[in-house]
Amino acid sequence: MSSTSPRKVCIVGSGNWGSAIARIVGVNAKAHADFDNTVNMWVFEEMIDGKKLTEIINETHENVKYLKGYKIPENVVAIPDVKKAVEGAQILIFVLPHQFVERICSQIKGCVDKDAMAISLIKGMLIKDKGLQLITDVIKSHLNIEVNCLMGANLAPEVAAGYFCETTIGCRDPEVGKVLKRLFQADYFRIVVVEDATTVELCGALKNIVAVGAGIIDGLGLGDNTKAAIIRLGLMEMVAFSKEFYHNTETATFLESCGVADLITTCYGGRNRRVAEAFVKTGKSIEELEKEMLNGQKLQGPQTAQEVHVMLENKNMTASYPLFTAIYDICFSDLPAKNLISCLNNHPVHM
């Protein structure tokens, strides 16, 4: 990562989280001499009231579809061609639904600078040969560059509004960690860098499963005591899963923003909680509600539950994770939502 010239930054993705982070990155790129002033942002082209979204962003400096009401710095340039967007970039910020990562990486393979590095803000995992592959590993395998991650209690609208919050960067190289901290830190966006990048990323993915459980509890009208139980038991399963399948994880990392803070936030304010509540109350499918409620965004919790279930089932371990398993069964196997409560009584006290 050694470089004497300013590093060009590209944001790969432009949903509400991508647009919110662009507000910070754009300001910092302009403020620090080690970054190029212009930040490219790849935008999936859409027509909004007869006009291209990229043109709207570049003219009004606002993503009117995914982050309406918040200005994006003028030095952030929306580009519809992902290959052109990443050209010459030394730092790639991946912030798009995890379902699309492989497709985008395949498109930009060969276009990325060999000395570039990446950071993933994507909360999810992919199924590979009946196992799970972390998004950072997916990006690295396609592009052959180093990949770090950023995860935390960071609801995009609140970050965009400038409400104080913390986040965690998982980076094994302390010098790279300093560079990334300069790129992302703001007065209202406090960065903590840890070397345990694997746990940071696992927290970001697994907490979405628990958030679905929290939303189910809200849909059933069972109150905050029950939701607190779901959150605690969910955290236990997150820790147990991480230690079972990724032996280099550190328990202390779960106390960072990427862990318990993000878990609490998403169980009270995230889209997974919101859609899961509607799933119980309306009887509509997850797919229907995703289209109705998320304005083109993708839901991560149910799919991550499915991906984790494949891994647990392959090792005959579903009984050891009753909460994860119940959430999968409710989303995909017609288990009644009220049956989630039975897993609380049957849950092991220690894991």
Side-chain angles (χ1 to χ4, degrees):
M1 188 68 185
S2 60
S3 176
T4 55
S5 58
R7 299 179 176 94
K8 179 79 173 175
V9 178
C10 175
I11 302 171
V12 184
S14 59
N16 66 343
W17 185 211
S19 298
I21 211 67
R23 285 168 50 82
I24 297 173
V25 169
V27 170
N28 287 343
K30 201 168 184 178
H32 297 288
D34 49 347
F35 303 116
D36 189 277
N37 280 353
T38 300
V39 175
N40 289 351
M41 180 170 72
W42 173 65
V43 176
F44 178 77
E45 194 68 280
E46 301 178 66
M47 299 302 293
I48 308 294
D49 296 327
K51 194 166 186 177
K52 293 179 179 179
L53 180 57
T54 51
E55 292 179 357
I56 295 172
I57 293 173
N58 288 332
E59 291 172 9
T60 68
H61 308 292
E62 181 181 343
N63 189 333
V64 295
K65 178 166 185 181
Y66 295 109
L67 199 67
K68 192 174 179 63
Y70 295 99
K71 292 295 184 181
I72 295 170
E74 293 184 10
N75 61 317
V76 177
V77 179
I79 299 175
D81 186 329
V82 69
K83 292 181 180 180
K84 290 182 180 178
V86 304
E87 188 176 344
Q90 276 112 14
I91 300 178
L92 303 177
I93 301 169
F94 283 86
V95 53
L96 66 162
H98 77 277
Q99 300 95 316
F100 305 137
V101 172
E102 287 197 294
R103 188 175 76 194
I104 294 302
C105 284
S106 296
Q107 290 178 25
I108 64 176
K109 188 173 182 178
C111 304
V112 175
D113 193 296
K114 64 180 179 62
D115 296 322
M117 55 85 67
I119 181 167
S120 170
L121 281 61
I122 301 167
K123 296 175 178 179
M125 295 180 280
L126 295 179
I127 299 174
K128 288 291 181 182
D129 301 321
K130 295 187 177 180
L132 293 179
Q133 189 173 17
L134 299 176
I135 296 299
T136 53
D137 291 333
V138 173
I139 297 170
K140 186 174 182 177
S141 67
H142 279 79
L143 304 181
N144 196 30
I145 59 176
E146 288 303 313
V147 188
N148 307 287
C149 60
L150 182 153
M151 306 284 158
N154 310 139
L155 297 178
E158 296 185 13
V159 174
Y163 299 158
F164 177 81
C165 64
E166 298 180 307
T167 200
T168 312
I169 289 179
C171 179
R172 295 178 179 86
D173 185 329
E175 292 305 311
V176 172
K178 292 175 184 177
V179 173
L180 294 174
K181 186 169 184 174
R182 282 197 299 277
L183 184 60
F184 288 98
Q185 178 118 307
D187 290 342
Y188 60 92
F189 197 62
R190 179 175 179 265
I191 303 288
V192 174
V193 181
V194 301
E195 293 185 18
D196 182 18
T198 298
T199 306
V200 172
E201 188 169 7
L202 284 167
C203 286
L206 297 174
K207 58 92 183 181
N208 284 328
I209 304 175
V210 187
V212 173
I216 291 170
I217 295 303
D218 288 340
L220 293 170
L222 295 177
D224 286 339
N225 289 346
T226 309
K227 188 191 281 191
I230 289 289
I231 293 171
R232 188 189 75 82
L233 295 172
L235 180 61
M236 290 171 65
E237 292 196 13
M238 287 169 60
V239 174
F241 182 91
S242 299
K243 289 185 174 297
E244 177 69 35
F245 293 98
Y246 300 88
H247 299 298
N248 56 341
T249 61
E250 299 177 14
T251 303
T253 306
F254 288 92
L255 299 180
E256 298 291 348
S257 180
C258 62
V260 66
D262 194 12
L263 177 62
I264 293 169
T265 296
T266 199
C267 285
Y268 278 90
R271 73 183 75 158
N272 290 281
R273 185 219 64 79
R274 197 157 39 93
V275 173
E277 179 182 17
F279 174 72
V280 175
K281 288 183 173 180
T282 67
K284 295 181 180 179
S285 70
I286 293 290
E287 292 77 12
E288 287 179 284
L289 293 167
E290 185 180 65
K291 291 176 182 176
E292 289 179 14
M293 299 175 65
L294 297 187
N295 190 33
Q297 297 178 78
K298 292 295 181 181
L299 199 65
Q300 309 292 3
Q303 184 164 342
T304 303
Q306 186 177 36
E307 291 157 354
V308 164
H309 186 76
V310 169
M311 200 163 180
L312 294 175
E313 198 170 42
N314 189 46
K315 294 201 172 187
N316 197 28
M317 296 185 69
T318 55
S320 298
Y321 295 84
L323 185 61
F324 284 0
T325 300
I327 292 167
Y328 165 80
D329 287 338
I330 291 168
C331 291
F332 297 102
S333 299
D334 297 322
L335 181 73
K338 65 181 180 181
N339 285 27
L340 180 61
I341 302 307
S342 64
C343 87
L344 305 185
N345 288 324
N346 297 330
H347 206 289
V349 176
H350 300 290
M351 296 193 72

